[in-house]
Amino acid sequence: MKRALPILAVLVLLLAAIAIANPFFLEPAGFLAFLKRAAPLVILAAGQYFVVVSGEFDLSVGSLVTAEVVIAARLIDGDESATWPVLALLIVAGPLAGLVNGVLTTKLRVPSFIVTLGMLLVLSGAVFLWTGGAPRGALSEGFRAFGRGGLGPVPWSVLILLAVGAAAIWLMRADFGRTLMATGDNERAAALSGVRVDRVKIFAFMLSGLSAAVAAILLGGFAGVSAQAGQGLEFSAITAVVLGGVVLGGGRGSVLAAMAGAVTLEALFTLLNLYGISGALEFTVQGVIIIAAVAAGAVRLPRKPTPRRGDAHAAS
Amino acid sequence: MDLLTRARRPARLPHGGPATHLRDPVRVVFLALAGLVAAGWALVALDGGQFLTLESVVGIQQRSAALGIVAIGQTLAILAGSLDLSVAYLISLASLVAAEIMAGQDGNIGPAIAAVLAISALVGLVNGLVIARLRVHAFIATLGVALIIKGVVDHLYDGPAGKVPESFQLLGYSRAGPIPVSAMLWAGVAVVAWFLLSRTRLGYRIYAVGGNEEVARLSGIRTSRVIVITHVLCSVCAGIAGLLLAARLGAGAPTVGTDGGYDLESIAAVVLGGTALAGGRGGVAGTVGGVLLLAVLDTLFNQLEVNSFVKDVVRGAVIVVAVAVYARHGTRRPA
């Protein structure tokens, strides 16, 4: 967790700043509303973490989220009875896209940057081809409940977030976590010690696809159907993971810190909104803070003397 | 220097043969280009049309010039083991700066070009320094710089702005015979980059740093300086592409770079041309082939009137398959 300390400090500062600007934030309802908004990105960051820590990238999650939301709307088309079958389909489709990414990356030895970029193009092309440019259909109330509704005062999305977080932490403590970490740190050494490297990486990609499916269900619930539902989420998720001190190239960082990175990013957006910084300049501030945070993390802590750049791709 | 010269040519094998041909990505991409042209010719002929008329050849060159120039800059950054995701927003910014300063006056063309080149060099300098000095991964560093530029551009502009004088618009549209001026500009940039990479000390150092940064540093190369220089050159290429697009549009536009998808598209073209994303292997010739291949594919789809979204699907598949072919025949680099 040592690498995660800077981001936790930043997170505490941001939360304090939000609380000062908006005292409602300190009440349970206000804080839960914040967590509900943050849930999709945090879940995506957890999925992206598995891929990044294994030494790869997943650039396809944003378009996968869009595809799932658009597909759900078209298939459900307001029909309440279609809710559960479509949900099941989405949950299966996400890991399936991840499986394709993983197999192409490991078996064909194409860098994951390129594989998932190709998947991004294919998915966004296919979605528009199928919808003819504008999403059609509508989500049912039952589907939207996951993003909008709640169990008493606690939104479903916060409960789902907690479940995903617990599952991710459990996975990283299980055998899978250790072999994944070993694979990302030194693929060859891991392979020589008997780790089925390809299988581990494919599973990481499938987890990323699954997290995109869950995020899509939540986003479709409260943000609604649009062809831009997942736009840019892949970059936000990777940024969140890196903010949490996870090293691009693999082998180092904790999943909890990656999710904390996503909460921090969301807190940053909230704060910028509260202080009325215009929509556009928000990006500028975000860019400066991301660079500063990652640079600060890199400077303060000692690095291992391994080559830093490119090893993500070399390992693929 | 001798060592480095030899070190960058492990891909060429002494003996010929079909397998060797496939080992050289530059050959693969140009063979694929020839195959695509032949297949396109046949398909369009069956459709009752004619592929690659003078008009469409000019169109291919004009359309690919901007992407080509960006991709050549991107090649330099990738060869050094880095990459640049900020080029798309920089292109938009460059087009706006150019059109605003020109303001329709011929006399302002010189200062506008100078300003665009200076600003893009500055952005490249920031990218390079953040990566090399602050040790931020290139992916995050250039993404951060991209967000910074996006914020500024979106804050200041809602739509097209400025005006490009008629004389500068000639850069976008005029041509000498079948060759557009924009294509000559692209060729010029490519030749300069080729010369830099294969005939100068800096070129060898770029390959060395991309091949193994630690070894390069221990051999006495100032690796940070090399990385900074490649990023400055990459951004200047993006600035030139911005000038070209401003000339074509007659104005600056805040979304011209992102609408063209120049960030991921340029990286895809570079990799399609056989340059390794990990750095240290590849070159300009492959990138030129990669850009042309994407442009011919586009033209073919246009002529066959294929749905434009199918294009995205096929393009994604082509890129993945091409890289898989190289990966199959290349050796796996140690992690």
Side-chain angles (χ1 to χ4, degrees), chain A residues 124-182:
Chain A
S124 52
V127 161
F128 281 95
L129 184 63
W130 195 48
T131 58
R136 273 178 271 167
L139 296 170
S140 62
E141 278 310 306
F143 188 96
R144 307 203 77 166
F146 290 102
R148 285 179 169 173
L151 189 67
V154 186
W156 282 117
S157 60
V158 174
L159 294 176
I160 293 171
L161 172 61
L162 289 176
V164 168
I169 291 169
W170 173 77
L171 263 175
M172 285 314 288
R173 291 193 175 175
D175 276 355
F176 168 72
R178 274 192 289 275
T179 51
L180 184 72
M181 196 65 97

Side-chain angles (χ1 to χ4, degrees), chain B residues 36 40 43-44 47 51 60 63 293-318:
Chain B
L36 183 66
L43 279 172
V44 175
D47 210 38
F51 190 50
I60 289 178
R63 234 172 300 141
L293 189 69
L294 290 177
V296 171
L297 204 59
D298 262 7
T299 309
L300 179 60
F301 283 134
N302 285 347
Q303 289 212 342
L304 293 175
E305 289 171 0
V306 172
N307 185 312
S308 71
F309 303 121
V310 174
K311 203 172 71 187
D312 271 353
V313 175
V314 174
R315 176 180 290 205
V318 164

Side-chain angles (χ1 to χ4, degrees), chain A residues 252-295:
Chain A
R252 262 155 288 156
S254 86
V255 68
L256 203 60
M259 294 199 289
V263 177
T264 308
L265 209 54
E266 203 63 46
L268 179 62
F269 297 150
T270 308
L271 188 68
L272 292 175
N273 274 333
L274 275 177
Y275 281 96
I277 291 176
S278 91
L281 278 182
E282 197 178 298
F283 290 109
T284 302
V285 178
Q286 192 192 340
V288 171
I289 290 183
I290 288 166
I291 293 178
V294 176

